[in-house]
Amino acid sequence: MGIKNCPECGKLYVENPSGLCPECYAQEEVYEHQIGEYLRENGKASVEKIHEETGVKEKIILRMIKSGRLLVDGVSMISYPCDMCGVPIYEGRICAKCGSSFTKQVKEVWRDKDNYGSQREGLRMYSKDDLKK
Ligand SMILES: [Zn+2]
Ligand SMILES: [Zn+2]
């Protein structure tokens, strides 16, 4: 446990699992309740829409979504833009499309690493032979 600056209001507070000072945390619970009510009445909505309707800052809404709050009956109801292409998504950080191209990129990087490794292996063998001469 340490003392931290609250990311919301900047005040010092004793660190706790919510990551906010007690006042901001209490405020967030109020927001959470407001948003929950809105979702129950209106169904799925985007972060932008929720912000317009409830006045809660988008940053706060996103933080609540990412910490797994704001679920209605265990279902994610708020869409927010994909980190990569901006398409609305309901969970994770990127949409399924970007997710699959991302996995592909990662695989390509690994393949390059393999090539790099065997090239180095080749070089090492070459220099060893060189030394024997
Ligand atoms: Zn605070
Ligand atoms: Zn995307």
Side-chain angles (χ1 to χ4, degrees), residues 2 42 48 96 98 129:
N42 302 279
E48 231 183 316
C98 291
D129 287 346

Side-chain angles (χ1 to χ4, degrees), residues 6-11 20-25:
C6 171
E8 258 325 293
C9 66
K11 269 192 254 168
L20 292 170
C21 75
E23 282 141 69
C24 291
Y25 184 66

Side-chain angles (χ1 to χ4, degrees), residues 37-90:
E37 293 276 282
Y38 177 83
L39 290 174
R40 276 177 204 281
E41 277 166 32
N42 302 279
K44 290 186 174 180
S46 65
V47 169
E48 231 183 316
K49 181 81 182 152
I50 305 268
H51 166 66
E52 279 166 23
E53 297 293 330
T54 62
V56 182
K57 279 189 249 170
E58 292 187 25
K59 198 182 88 185
I60 298 179
I61 303 171
L62 282 171
R63 190 172 57 227
M64 286 198 250
I65 295 171
K66 280 169 189 171
S67 54
R69 292 156 79 183
L70 298 180
L71 296 178
V72 175
D73 302 326
V75 180
S76 172
M77 300 281 283
I78 305 176
S79 64
Y80 49 94
C82 161
D83 265 8
M84 291 173 82
C85 70
V87 151
I89 51 172
Y90 288 93

